[in-house]
Amino acid sequence: MQVARALSFSSYAADYTRYMPVDTPPRTLFLYAFTGTWLGSVWIASLGAAIGTIAFIGTPTDLVGQVLPGPLATVTMLALGVSTITSSCLDCYSGAPAWLIAGVRMACWQAVLVVGGLGSAIGWFAGQGDYWKSFENFLIILGNWIAPWLAVMLVQRFLVPSPDEEAPRDFGPGFAAWFLGLLAAVPFLSQPGVFVGPNAESHPALGACAAAVAFLTAGLVHYALTRTSRTRAATANNDTSTYDTTKEIPA
């Protein structure tokens, strides 16, 4: 969960830089953002792993109820509830730019309401059965979904971009690479009760490789597709520039 959250918010860091002074060094921004994300993820994950060694964990609330005294457990649960609300606000905000990037024309605040409404409806539907099992499956799917998406983002940012070119807004090479990354990971998916790929079924240890396979596949495919398209564009520009426009065309 912590890894998925950190990766999913990584591309929206640039949106928060508008609140920073224009002369802030990029290295400083990266250092503080990375350190804050790392600390915020590692300590809570370490705490959960430590508690799991001294108590049986059936649901996430057991991390609190079975370890802490009654009054302290109540206060902790209230704090977790408040933190969940604030986190959900960030989720709605980060989902709104994704909604707009997809080409939907509406104001940002309208996109926030749409994303929040869809999330609430899906959450309510998932909570009708075994909520914790549904939530666990969702987290696994989220990690596998984000891995190829992050690969496309990194390739586009560090290997492909040109500062004077605007990133495409349609479903181009990035979407194809992301989709192929997901397909490549299908044989390695391991979600008992939902879907177990053939490789994960015959070799259970490979079930943890799905996200890595999706990441590498999407990154390589996106790099290959964008490199090919840019080479063709450069060739076309060279052919156009070498054409003798001063030569008279016979009547």
Side-chain angles (χ1 to χ4, degrees):
M1 173 60 177
Q2 298 301 324
V3 173
R5 179 176 295 277
L7 295 181
S8 62
F9 277 106
S10 61
S11 65
Y12 295 105
D15 185 66
Y16 293 95
T17 58
R18 59 182 174 176
Y19 302 107
M20 307 298 295
V22 294
D23 58 346
T24 303
R27 184 185 299 273
T28 301
L29 288 174
F30 174 81
L31 178 62
Y32 283 113
F34 175 83
T35 303
T37 301
W38 185 82
L39 291 176
S41 301
V42 169
W43 83 267
I44 190 64
S46 300
L47 178 62
I51 294 177
T53 62
I54 61 175
F56 173 76
I57 305 303
T59 66
T61 56
D62 292 340
L63 289 171
V64 177
Q66 292 188 14
V67 178
L68 299 178
L72 184 57
T74 301
V75 173
T76 302
M77 291 301 297
L78 289 174
L80 289 175
V82 174
S83 67
T84 300
I85 294 175
T86 58
S87 177
S88 298
C89 292
L90 288 176
D91 291 336
C92 292
Y93 172 77
S94 63
W99 189 262
L100 298 177
I101 290 172
V104 179
R105 296 184 176 276
M106 61 174 58
C108 186
W109 67 269
Q110 293 173 330
V112 170
L113 293 179
V114 171
V115 171
L118 289 175
S120 299
I122 295 173
W124 178 85
F125 178 79
Q128 299 307 299
D130 188 345
Y131 174 79
W132 297 117
K133 188 63 178 178
S134 299
F135 187 59
E136 181 182 6
N137 289 328
F138 168 74
L139 293 180
I140 297 175
I141 294 174
L142 185 63
N144 293 328
W145 179 90
I146 287 176
W149 169 83
L150 180 64
V152 171
M153 294 287 296
L154 291 176
V155 170
Q156 184 69 32
R157 175 64 179 86
F158 294 105
L159 300 181
V160 175
S162 295
D164 56 344
E165 293 182 5
E166 183 178 356
R169 298 177 63 88
D170 55 358
F171 294 97
F175 178 79
W178 170 80
F179 186 71
L180 291 176
L182 286 181
L183 289 181
V186 169
F188 300 89
L189 293 176
S190 180
Q191 289 188 248
V194 179
F195 176 80
V196 178
N199 289 353
E201 185 174 6
S202 57
H203 303 283
L206 296 179
C209 299
V213 171
F215 180 89
L216 293 175
T217 302
L220 292 173
V221 170
H222 185 56
Y223 180 73
L225 292 177
T226 51
R227 183 180 178 87
T228 301
S229 62
R230 289 169 67 85
T231 300
R232 290 177 179 175
T235 302
N237 291 335
N238 290 336
D239 293 342
T240 303
S241 61
T242 56
Y243 177 75
D244 187 6
T245 58
T246 62
K247 184 177 180 178
E248 295 183 1
I249 301 178

